[in-house]
Amino acid sequence: MISKKICLVGDFGVGKTSLIRRFVDRQFSDKYLSTVGVKISRKTVDLAETSSETTGFVQLLIWDIEGHTKFKAIAPSYLQGASGVVIVADVSRQETVERLPEHIDLFLSVNPKGCIVIALNKIDLIDSTELEHLIKLAPNLKQYDQILSRHQTSAKTGDHVDTIFYELSQKFIYS
């Protein structure tokens, strides 16, 4: 079994902790808990559960990194050694989507070969028309070769939460 460090990065309140709790503990809470510094969770992923073609286990060390702006100076030390990152934006707050390139650039400055998955979170809070409009206004991220995919997620409903973690895990097996 291989062990890989991944980080969840994004502005405060975008749902990083909620995505981790949904994936690791299969729970969701409406209570907002601000992460101070970093919180580390662990989960073993059995890739056979996601695909008949992929087998193996990956132990994910999931670093939930504080999203406050004043924290940006310390963040690079927490990002060191990460094989991948989930960069999270809150679709109900346009400014968090607009800041995706900042988070990508910060991660890549520390881990230039790292893998990136984008989670456009809280899709349960807006309707599909608003979501389509938001995605059209989102920054163009095509210049980043390290982005594996972009998913519309909801920690509340569980939509695509497992997908973002399994996709990174599969990439680790094949790289």
Side-chain angles (χ1 to χ4, degrees), residues 4-98:
K4 295 288 185 175
K5 173 182 175 180
I6 64 170
C7 297
L8 267 77
V9 175
D11 291 352
F12 72 93
V14 295
K16 298 179 296 291
T17 302
S18 294
L19 287 169
I20 293 168
R21 282 194 71 203
R22 171 61 77 177
F23 178 65
V24 174
D25 302 325
R26 298 289 183 228
Q27 295 178 351
F28 176 79
S29 171
D30 282 329
K31 293 180 183 153
Y32 177 70
L33 296 171
S34 182
T35 303
V36 177
V38 66
K39 180 181 184 289
I40 302 170
S41 301
R42 182 184 313 250
K43 177 151 181 171
T44 301
V45 174
D46 179 358
L47 293 174
E49 291 177 10
T50 62
S51 165
S52 59
E53 301 160 15
T54 311
T55 59
F57 294 92
V58 178
Q59 182 178 66
L60 295 179
L61 301 172
I62 306 167
W63 289 49
D64 181 1
I65 299 177
E66 176 180 341
H68 292 284
T69 314
K70 64 181 177 160
F71 185 69
K72 290 228 190 296
I74 303 165
S77 63
Y78 286 140
L79 293 171
Q80 277 188 322
S83 299
V85 67
V86 177
I87 299 180
V88 185
D90 174 349
V91 295
S92 69
R93 294 169 37 219
Q94 176 72 34
E95 68 276 9
T96 70
V97 176
E98 291 169 359

Side-chain angles (χ1 to χ4, degrees), residues 21 80 90 98 103 109 111 131 148 171:
R21 282 194 71 203
Q80 277 188 322
D90 174 349
E98 291 169 359
H103 297 296
S109 72
N111 301 295
L131 186 58
L148 300 177
K171 180 69 175 172

